[in-house]
Amino acid sequence: MREKLNQYVMIVVLLIIGVLFISPFLWMLSVSIDRMANMRIPFPPTLIPDEMAAFNYEIVFENGKLIRAYVNSSIVTLASVIIQVSAALLGGYAFSKGTFRGKKLLFLLVLATMMIPIEARLIPLYQMFNSIGLLNSLWPVIIPSVLYGFGVFLCKQYFDRIPDSLREAAQIDGASEFRTFFQVYFPLAGPIAATLVILSFMGNWNEFVWPLVVLNDENLHTIPLFLASFSLENGTSLAGMTMALATMSVVPIIIVFLFFQRYIIQSIALSGLKE
C-alpha cells in the first residue's frame, strides 16, 4: 500500500513539474494564434485566446526571409550534425579500442576543449577565417563543428562497454581497422548515434553567438539571428508575429527529438548489450 502511495505521489509531482516546464511553450503558442496580440499582449496570460486565427503565421510566411533563414539553418545544422556525429564515433572508437602512443594525452586534450568557452575562441577563430577569406559565408559556422569533445567522450564511454573480443575476432578474420569499425561496432552504435544526433541538432540549430559574429549578410542569417533581429526591430509591438516566429523555430527540434527518441529505445533493445 505504501509503495503504491509513493508511486501516486511521484506521478503527481512529475505532472506538476511537467506542467511548469511546458507552460511557457503553451503560452507562446497561445499568443502566436491570438489575432489581437500584435496590438496588445494578453494579460493575464491565457491558454485559449479570445480571437483565434492563423493570421500571424500567414504574415510570417509571406515574408521570404523566414524561408531563407530556414534554408540557411537547415544547411548549417545538417552539415554540422553529419560532421560531428561522424567525428565523434570515429574518435570515440579510436580512443576506446585503439592502441597508439600518446592516447591518454590526446584524450585529455580532447576533454580540455570542453573547458574552453566559445567566448574565449571568438577572436582566434574570427582571425583564422578572416585570413583565409571565408567570413560572411556558411563555412565558418560549419567547419568548427568537427571539434566535438563531448561527443568523443560519450562515444568512448559507450564503446568501452562493448567487448574487445569482437575486434579481436574481426582481426583474426583479416578485417582492417576501418572494416572492423563499420561492420562490427558501427551497427551496435545506434543508441549513442541517435543521442548525438539529438544533441548536435539542438546545439547547432540554436547556435547564436558565433553565427552573429561571422554572418553579416542578412541573406545568410539563420533562424536564431532572424528571430533576434525581428525582436530587436519590433520589440513587443508585434508580439503575435514574434511568438509565431519563435514557435516555428522550435518545431524542427521537437520533431527531431521525438523521432530519434523512439530509435534510441529500439537501438538499445536490438543491440543485445546488457550491463
Side-chain angles (χ1 to χ4, degrees):
M1 183 66 182
R2 178 174 296 180
E3 292 182 359
K4 290 186 178 180
L5 181 61
N6 291 336
Q7 290 179 355
Y8 291 143
V9 172
M10 182 63 68
I11 292 174
V12 172
V13 171
L14 292 176
L15 284 175
I16 294 174
I17 295 175
V19 170
L20 291 176
F21 272 98
I22 202 174
S23 57
F25 176 78
L26 295 178
W27 183 72
M28 177 181 69
L29 183 62
S30 174
V31 175
S32 69
I33 59 176
D34 189 347
R35 187 179 182 86
M36 306 303 294
N38 290 324
M39 294 184 290
R40 57 172 179 80
I41 299 178
F43 187 83
T46 57
L47 292 179
I48 302 177
D50 296 332
E51 189 174 349
M52 298 176 58
F55 172 77
N56 295 319
Y57 290 93
E58 294 174 359
I59 297 299
V60 164
F61 276 103
E62 285 180 0
N63 189 343
K65 292 183 178 179
L66 175 62
I67 304 299
R68 187 162 54 244
Y70 252 103
V71 172
N72 294 334
S73 287
S74 299
I75 294 174
V76 170
T77 303
L78 291 178
S80 299
V81 167
I82 293 173
I83 293 174
Q84 285 187 333
V85 175
S86 301
L89 288 173
L90 290 171
Y93 173 78
F95 283 117
S96 175
K97 305 301 180 183
T99 54
F100 53 90
R101 297 179 62 180
K103 184 174 75 171
K104 292 184 178 180
L105 178 60
L106 289 176
F107 186 63
L108 288 176
L109 292 176
V110 172
L111 295 181
T113 61
M114 299 167 53
M115 307 174 190
I116 305 175
I118 182 63
E119 291 79 9
R121 292 179 286 160
L122 285 179
I123 295 177
L125 284 175
Y126 183 88
Q127 292 178 339
M128 182 184 69
F129 285 109
N130 185 39
S131 63
I132 59 179
L134 289 180
L135 286 182
N136 208 27
S137 67
L138 297 180
W139 287 112
V141 187
I142 297 174
I143 294 176
S145 61
V146 71
L147 189 63
Y148 193 30
F150 181 67
V152 174
F153 171 75
L154 287 182
C155 289
K156 179 186 180 302
Q157 298 300 111
Y158 181 83
F159 285 126
D160 284 344
R161 298 170 50 201
I162 301 179
D164 294 339
S165 57
L166 297 177
R167 178 170 175 267
E168 295 171 357
Q171 289 180 336
I172 292 175
D173 291 338
S176 63
E177 203 68 66
F178 278 100
R179 185 178 179 184
T180 301
F181 171 76
F182 285 108
Q183 292 189 355
V184 178
Y185 284 89
F186 183 72
L188 299 176
I192 192 63
T195 302
L196 289 177
V197 168
I198 293 174
L199 296 177
S200 178
F201 188 94
M202 293 175 61
N204 288 284
W205 185 269
N206 292 324
E207 182 65 36
F208 177 75
V209 176
W210 177 238
L212 179 64
V213 174
V214 296
L215 300 179
N216 297 321
D217 189 355
E218 291 186 357
N219 294 326
L220 296 175
H221 278 186
T222 56
I223 287 292
L225 295 182
F226 176 65
L227 179 58
S229 61
F230 183 87
S231 301
L232 289 175
E233 291 176 1
N234 300 282
T236 58
S237 59
L238 297 176
M241 293 178 59
T242 303
M243 291 302 182
L245 284 172
T247 302
M248 294 306 302
S249 68
V250 300
V251 167
I253 297 177
I254 295 175
I255 294 175
V256 169
F257 178 80
L258 294 177
F259 180 80
F260 280 98
Q261 184 186 37
R262 177 167 59 94
Y263 278 90
I264 290 175
I265 299 174
Q266 289 182 355
S267 300
I268 293 174
L270 294 175
S271 64
L273 298 176
K274 297 182 180 180
E275 292 288 350

